[in-house]
Every structure is written in structure tokens, then in C-alpha cells.
Amino acid sequence: MILVALIAVPLIAALLAGIAGRVGPAAPRWIAVAGLVLELGLVGWLWTGAAVAPDGAWLAQFEAPWVPRFGITFLLAADGLSLVLVALTALLGLAAVAGSWSEVTERSGFFHFNVMATLTGAVGVFLALDLFLFFFFWEVMLIPMYLLIVIWGHGNRAYSGLKFFLFTQASSLLMLAAIVALALIHQQQMGAPSFSYFDLQTLSVNPLAAMLLMLGFFLAFAVKLPAVPFHTWLPDAHTDAPTAGSVILAGVLLKTGAYGMIRFLVPLFPEAATAFTPVALTLGVTSILYGGVVAFAQTDFKRLVAYTSVSHMGFVLLGVFAWNTLALQGVVMQMVAHGLSTGALFMIAGALQERLHTREMDRMGGLWSVAPRLSALGLFFAVASLGLPGLANFVGEFLVLLGTYSVSVTATACAAAGLVVAAIYSLWLVQRSFHGRPPAGRTMADAGVRETLALGALAVLLLGLGLLPAAVLDVSAPALAGLLATVPESGTVAGP
């Protein structure tokens, strides 16, 4: 029942926050915080046994009939991989609420309802092992995030929200078609339809059908990741979303695409995924280099950070299709590190916009002299983003490159060039925003206690995981070992 509780807690908090909005703007915030703290407590309970679990063992499972006629069950399960991502969801949920504490004062109840509803969908995605249930939670994330963008966003928010909705919805329908096709194939082979992950792994699908079904999953996950050329919704959505929306979008929702590839795409279609590996590696390298180069060309602080997500998640795509122990460990660490560092940078972008009423870096400069705490935190997260040794981002990217080397030397070398590009755009961001001479007469409030504590906690986590990565790697290792036992390591594949 603890898995049901992990979904129920943020859902109940969402409903209570929506009702509490009638009282005033403060009550929904505290309800959201309380719900997320309780969620972390439940995660902590499971976490204690995750590192010592046998390979592939599920820490908890729950199953109840839902629509038996069509083979649909309410099937939940958690292993170390899903547990890490649920913990990341709760942590970044707290960061999102803290980052929007003073930004959102109107319709606070409905705002926090949508924040918690989005997080509920994400937790469901990380726990669902019935593919119809997985798709249900995948869709649950969509509507509240769309509302966050179009109601509380900035700039051309209606366009950006609609673009996000259409890209995600169109690709999701392809995945739904593939899921239904798998259930029908199960009915044909076994006599009854089933959407269970465990049942669908036993199917025998001819190579052409497997490739087409795999592509249906891949397009949905690649759009959410996002990978070039399916990324064009991301910069607009990030730029115009409120701070909480950007934090959750970058830190949590993008990870659902990566999780889907690890949990469902490769295990359900191992031969098709292996045949597709050269294409996937090419898309991963392209995302790394393209995202980094375009990020350097931006003048908007938030848009620059948005493009860095395309680059960083390219490493995740690379590691998933390298499919070996080192690469998958790197993927897990990269997902966590990217969520923490990029979420923090979006919080800083929101704080600067709230104070300066602009995100244009040409109108910043010299912030260090008027806001040293905020500037120092900005420097820390910028160098974390570029992969400074000793921080978690470096561990993730290094392990991905190390694992990819045994699959494709060329892809590894090209991806490594992305680290140089990351150093350039990260230091360029710091130089233009925080250094130089401030405009005459500029005054600006520095980071307050709430902002300093929230950003400081994320900084401590990045430093701690950079120095002691086993805290995450040991927890996810049994789950990854189980996946690799089901689908053997890819070995050397003819790649780019």
C-alpha cells in the first residue's frame, strides 16, 4: 500500500491546496510543502532497503483489478531506479514551491493544485507497470503543466503552452497505438489481452512489427526527453513558463522520457532497439552539440538554460542505447544531477526576472556587487552544469562517455566535444550576468533566507553526490542489474 500512498499523498495535497486557495495565498503553499515532505518520508522508508536488494528485485508491489475485461490492472511496482526518480520528483517539487513563493499571489490555490497534480502524474509514471496505467499517468502530467504555462506564464504563453500540448499529445497517441497493439498481440498469442509489463515481455513479435512498435514508443519518449529534432517545443515552453513550471518541466517531466526508454522501450523491444542504436547514438550526439552551440547564441538567461537541457539530455539518450552497466549508471546520475542543477538555474532566472523585470543578460551585468549570494549560487550551478569534477554532473557525463566508448568510439569522441561547448556557454552566462560593471544607481535585493536555503540544499546535494556518488548508484544498481539480465549488454555496435 505504500506505493498507493506515494501517489495519493501529492494528489490529496493538490485537492487540499485547491480548496485552501479560498482562505488566502499562504495556505496552499504550506499544504504543498507538507505533502512533499510526507512524500519524501515515504521514499526514505523504501530507500533504506534499496541498496541491499537482490538484482532486479522489486522493493514493493501492488496490484488490483481495474478493467479485467480488457486485461487492465492497477499494477504498481518500485525498484531502485523508480525510487531515485520519485525522490527527485519530491525534492524538485519542494524547490518549485519555494521558487514561486512570492512570484504567484493570484489564484494561489489553483496554481498549487496544478503543481501537485503534475507531480502526481510523474510519480505515477515512475511506478506504473501496467502500460495502460502508465499512459494514463503520462497524460495526467500534460493538462496541469499546460495550465501552469498558459495561466501563470510570461511572454507568448498561450502559444508556448499550446505548442507543448500538441507536441506531447501527438507523440503520446503514437505510443498509445503501440501499447494497444501489444495488448492485441498478447491476446492473439495467449488468448487474453494484457497490458502488464511482465506479460508483454514474454511476447514474440516479428522484426518489422517490433521496429514499428518500438518507434511509436521512441517518438513519445524522444519528444519528452527531448532529442533533436523533436525538441522545438522546449525552449518556448521553458522561456514562458513560471518558475515552478520550468523547474518541474526540466527536473521531472524530461526524466519521464528517459525513464520510459530504460524501463519499457529496450526491455520490450531488445532486437529492434539494438538495430536502432546507430540512429539513436547519432541523435544523442547531435542533441549534445546542437543544444550547446545554440545555447551559446542566446541572450535570454532562461532560454539559454533551456537549450542546455537539450544538450545534457543528449548524454542520457547516448547512455540508454549504449546499454551497459557504466552507461546506465551514468544515465541515472545524469538525470539526478541535471534535475538539481538546471532546476536551480531556473529558480535563479525566476528570481532575477522578479527583481529586474528582464531576463536579457545584456541588461544584467555587475550583479555580483549588488547581490553576492545570488551571484555566488549562480556561479556554482553554472560550473555544475558544465561538468566540473567533484560535482554530480561530472560523474554522470563521465560514466556515460565511459560506457559509450565500448559501443562507439566516434560517438564518444563527438559527445566529449560537447563538454568543451558546455564550458563556453556556462562561463559566458556567468560573465554576462554576474560580472562587469552594474548600471549606475542599480539596487537589487539579494537572495533571502528562503531562496538561500532552497538553492543551498540543491548545491549541497550536487556536491555530496559528486564526492559520494554511491548514494545514488548503489540504490539503482540492483534495478539496473536486473534490466541488464533481461536484456544483455549491447557490446560493440556499428555506430556513428
Side-chain angles (χ1 to χ4, degrees), residues 231-294:
H231 70 288
T232 56
W233 63 269
L234 180 72
D236 294 325
H238 269 318
T239 301
D240 295 329
T243 299
S246 294
V247 171
I248 295 172
L249 192 58
V252 179
L253 264 62
L254 303 191
K255 308 307 178 292
T256 61
Y259 173 81
M261 290 184 181
I262 299 171
R263 177 70 74 201
F264 298 110
L265 189 149
V266 178
L268 291 178
F269 312 103
E271 292 83 6
T274 300
F276 191 71
T277 293
V279 178
L281 295 183
T282 300
L283 293 178
V285 169
T286 303
S287 298
I288 292 168
L289 297 177
Y290 173 85
V293 171
V294 177

Side-chain angles (χ1 to χ4, degrees), residues 107-121:
R107 304 180 69 180
S108 175
F110 192 45
F111 173 83
H112 287 90
F113 168 82
N114 283 291
V115 167
M116 298 304 293
T118 305
L119 297 176
T120 301

Side-chain angles (χ1 to χ4, degrees), residues 10 62 98 104 132 187 222 227 232-233 263 339 379 483:
F62 176 85
V104 176
F132 186 87
Q187 181 180 27
T232 56
W233 63 269
R263 177 70 74 201
L379 172 63
L483 288 167

Side-chain angles (χ1 to χ4, degrees), residues 29-117:
R29 300 169 189 153
W30 288 110
I31 290 172
V33 168
L36 291 166
V37 169
L38 179 56
E39 185 83 351
L40 282 173
L42 294 174
V43 171
W45 185 8
L46 284 174
W47 192 281
T48 55
V52 295
D55 291 354
W58 298 99
L59 304 172
Q61 286 184 260
F62 176 85
E63 185 173 7
W66 188 12
V67 190
R69 180 177 180 180
F70 298 112
I72 300 173
T73 61
F74 195 85
L75 175 60
L76 304 175
D79 58 8
L81 173 61
S82 51
L83 192 62
V84 167
L85 293 173
V86 172
L88 179 67
T89 300
L91 281 170
L92 290 177
L94 282 171
V97 173
S100 59
W101 200 271
S102 58
E103 179 184 6
V104 176
T105 56
E106 296 183 1
R107 304 180 69 180
S108 175
F110 192 45
F111 173 83
H112 287 90
F113 168 82
N114 283 291
V115 167
M116 298 304 293

Side-chain angles (χ1 to χ4, degrees), residues 118-130:
T118 305
L119 297 176
T120 301
V123 171
V125 163
F126 296 137
L127 297 179
L129 283 185
D130 179 283

Side-chain angles (χ1 to χ4, degrees), residues 273-274 277 319-325 403 406-407 484 487-493:
T274 300
T277 293
V320 169
F321 278 86
W323 198 259
N324 55 55
T325 301
S406 64
V407 176
L484 288 167
V487 183
E489 297 187 11
S490 61
T492 302
V493 176

Side-chain angles (χ1 to χ4, degrees), residues 296 382 385-387 417-429:
F296 177 69
S385 182
L386 67 82
L419 301 179
V420 178
V421 179
I424 295 171
Y425 66 65
S426 296
L427 296 178
W428 184 239
L429 171 71

